[in-house]
Amino acid sequence: KQWYQRRVRVAEGEDFRWYIKAKCSSCGEEPQHFIYVAADESTEVKGGRGTANLVVKCKMCNRENSISVVGGSVKAYTCETGQFQSVVRFECRGMEPTDFSPRTVNYTSKRFTANTIII
């Protein structure tokens, strides 16, 4: 029986959508639906505080919250170490990611003689 180690390449390009659930840091409200953050999308933050990749207004407390993908933070995930690994970093203002849904996956597959498969 062959055992395979996997390396997953995620987020090829700036248009990759990271589907997350997020709760408001101010009131704790956490909608049950997923929202997405994409590095190629930009929205102005109210009050002239720059731009963010996602700007959301909390339905409970009306606070405007934002999340941006930190440039250069997207990394491939490899199962080789069996340890926790970061694949992306977000700059969060007023909201905290609580869940992730890998809905869109760009991948390639190749077999190696060392019992490694890249997906």
Side-chain angles (χ1 to χ4, degrees), residues 55-74:
V55 177
V56 178
K57 189 172 185 177
C58 178
K59 292 183 179 180
M60 290 290 284
C61 67
N62 291 324
R63 179 181 170 158
E64 187 177 83
N65 304 317
S66 63
I67 297 180
S68 289
V69 176
V70 175
S73 70
V74 177

Side-chain angles (χ1 to χ4, degrees), residues 35-104:
I35 54 178
Y36 74 85
V37 182
D40 70 336
E41 296 182 12
S42 183
T43 305
E44 290 212 16
V45 179
K46 194 175 179 179
R49 295 179 286 163
T51 61
N53 298 127
L54 173 68
V55 177
V56 178
K57 189 172 185 177
C58 178
K59 292 183 179 180
M60 290 290 284
C61 67
N62 291 324
R63 179 181 170 158
E64 187 177 83
N65 304 317
S66 63
I67 297 180
S68 289
V69 176
V70 175
S73 70
V74 177
K75 305 282 188 248
Y77 173 78
T78 61
C79 295
E80 296 164 359
T81 64
Q83 301 293 320
F84 172 82
Q85 298 172 18
S86 296
V87 293
V88 66
R89 284 188 325 178
F90 296 112
E91 179 182 341
C92 305
R93 299 193 179 212
M95 60 192 325
E96 175 185 339
T98 59
D99 199 0
F100 168 66
S101 176
R103 297 181 186 191
T104 306

